[in-house]
């Protein structure tokens, strides 16, 4: 993207749905995909006289998030009522945390930069609106709308970053690492298709060198990394074009339509004063004990950022390879098991990244066996892929036995290869003539034909050398 002297300023607000057994303030099950409006009670529907109680499991998970983001955990925090009227809010207010959040002042390092975490606070989710008819599932153009209150009252943690991000790519990388971190500590499945992880992006632009922020707009409910990046890039372009044309950016919320690749204004942005926050009178302030925080800190697993650094140092991987392997905890675990079993971290990295179907299918020892056979020269990398496919169908099979049973071992006898080389040269006199007239690139076609005859069991470099020797000596 050409910025033409401009700089983007991006901050994210991420909603994480916690995987607790029950909702935030009642005992209703916290389950995705149940029959609509079957998981409700007077508390989450806001009936008069119903009293909320705090879900201790959700509090623990919020503290875990804070610890993973190196936040300060508040010794005392308060729930508030955030008042607004909308069809997905039966109480006409949301129980949230306003000026006393449970986690503050953290950070997450990504791509060599430190992104500040302003706060992470607990709140309840709204219900889910379903728009029928029209296109794209949006209210615009829909024939009708209905409400599923099952999601109403499920526990959320909202994570708010400082405006430290400067490009859509950096924002997407940050969100990817955050998602991996949340999955690693086990607080959410972060399934964006189910809405377990949703992201709003605050975007503004300013001239490079300026310190003051420009007027920001908010892209709402981006539920895909790809669309998040596209939407931010489109909004940055729109703001720059508007300002360069002498216009002004208006503070508002926007929706990015990924199909049309267009931005649409939704409404003017609300400020905190518009919500008329006041302390929730039915809930006492929350005071996490030092013992609780220590217990959760002691149980914290190795986090993706630390694991990426360790993978680089221990296995000699590049930053990108280590990051790719940490895209999901199960992939990172699998890679490390293969690396240990094979003793070859680089080869394990290449196989796990390029053959993702192995994760959860082929035992680590099986993939390590393939790596060992290639390293020993027993099979070629091409045959290794065939053995990999066989193992996907027979995960418990021994790679060495598969190679022996199917005659897949490399051709070590050069006389056998020489015969094939001579045969291919005899069948392709035009390539021989072209090579000898200076078009050496045709040798690749000859190599391919020999390799086809060997069914991938030959070393391509050895075949090429044999061909060159024959072509240059004129034999």
């Amino acid at each position: 993207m050409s910025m033409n002297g401009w700089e983007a300023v991006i901050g994210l607000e991420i909603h994480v749905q916690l995987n607790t057994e029950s909702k935030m303030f009642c005992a209703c099950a916290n389950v995705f995909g149940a029959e609509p409006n079957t998981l409700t009670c007077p508390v989450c529907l806001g009936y008069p006289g119903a009293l909320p109680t705090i879900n201790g499991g959700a509090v623990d998970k919020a503290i875990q998030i804070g610890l993973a983001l190196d936040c300060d955990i508040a010794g005392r925090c308060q729930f508030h009522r955030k008042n607004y009227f909308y069809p997905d809010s039966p109480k006409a207010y949301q129980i949230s945390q306003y000026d006393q959040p449970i986690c503050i002042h953290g950070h997450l390092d990504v791509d060599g930069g430190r992104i500040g975490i302003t706060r992470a606070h607990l709140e309840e989710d709204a219900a889910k609106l379903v728009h029928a008819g029209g296109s794209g599932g949006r209210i615009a153009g829909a024939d009708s709308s209905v409400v599923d209150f099952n999601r109403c009252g499920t526990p959320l943690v909202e994570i708010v970053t400082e405006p430290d991000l400067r490009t859509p790519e950096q924002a997407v990388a940050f969100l990817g690492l955050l998602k991996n971190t949340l999955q690693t500590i086990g607080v959410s499945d972060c399934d964006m298709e189910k809405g377990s992880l949703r992201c709003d992006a605050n975007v503004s632009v300013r001239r490079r060198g300026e310190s003051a922020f420009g007027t920001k707009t908010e892209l709402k409910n981006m539920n895909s990394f790809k669309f998040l990046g596209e939407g931010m890039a489109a909004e940055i372009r729109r703001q720059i074009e508007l300002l360069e044309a002498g216009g002004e950016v208006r503070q508002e919320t926007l929706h990015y339509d990924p199909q049309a690749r267009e931005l649409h204004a939704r409404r003017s942005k609300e400020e905190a004063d518009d919500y008329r926050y006041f302390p929730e009178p039915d809930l006492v302030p929350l005071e996490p004990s030092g013992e609780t925080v220590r217990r959760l800190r002691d149980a914290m697993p190795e986090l993706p950022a630390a694991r990426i650094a360790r993978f680089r140092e221990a296995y000699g991987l590049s930053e990108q390879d280590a990051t790719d392997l940490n895209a999901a905890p199960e992939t990172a675990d699998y890679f490390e098991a293969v690396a240990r079993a094979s003793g070859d971290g680089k080869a394990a990295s290449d196989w796990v990244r390029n053959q993702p179907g192995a994760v959860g299918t082929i035992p680590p020892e099986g993939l390590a066996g393939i790596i060992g056979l290639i390293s020993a020269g027993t099979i070629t990398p091409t045959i290794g892929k065939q053995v990999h496919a066989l193992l996907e169908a027979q995960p418990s099979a021994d790679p060495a036995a598969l190679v022996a049973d199917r005659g897949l071992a490399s051709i070590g006898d050069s006389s056998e290869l020489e015969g094939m080389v001579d045969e291919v040269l005899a069948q392709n006199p035009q390539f021989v003539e072209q090579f000898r007239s200076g078009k050496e690139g045709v040798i690749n076609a000859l190599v391919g034909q020999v390799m086809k005859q060997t069914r991938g069991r030959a070393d391509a470099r050895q075949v090429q050398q044999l061909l060159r020797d024959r072509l240059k000596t004129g034999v």
Side-chain angles (χ1 to χ4, degrees), residues 334 351-362 388 392:
Y334 183 76
W351 276 94
V352 173
R353 288 185 299 105
N354 295 322
Q355 306 287 337
V359 181
T361 304
I362 299 176
H388 189 278
E392 286 184 317

Side-chain angles (χ1 to χ4, degrees), residues 92 120 136 185 195 241 248 285 366 451 462:
I185 62 176
E241 291 171 0
E248 294 183 359
M451 292 299 292
Q462 184 182 5

Side-chain angles (χ1 to χ4, degrees), residues 54-113:
I54 299 173
N55 184 332
V59 174
D60 281 359
K61 290 178 185 293
I63 293 173
Q64 286 178 274
I65 291 174
L67 293 173
L69 300 178
D70 208 22
C71 291
D72 296 332
I73 308 302
R76 185 182 191 279
C77 55
Q78 172 79 54
F79 286 100
H80 281 70
R81 290 186 178 183
K82 179 181 179 181
N83 294 273
Y84 68 95
F85 177 78
Y86 209 63
D88 63 3
S89 174
K91 297 194 293 280
Y93 64 83
Q94 176 192 32
I95 301 178
S96 181
Q97 292 184 319
Y98 177 41
D99 57 350
Q100 297 182 49
I102 191 167
C103 310
I104 57 173
H105 302 155
H107 66 265
L108 187 64
D109 295 336
V110 62
D111 285 349

Side-chain angles (χ1 to χ4, degrees), residues 318-331:
S318 69
E319 176 79 22
Q320 187 60 56
D321 288 354
T323 300
D324 290 347
L325 291 168
N326 277 277
E330 58 271 22
T331 302

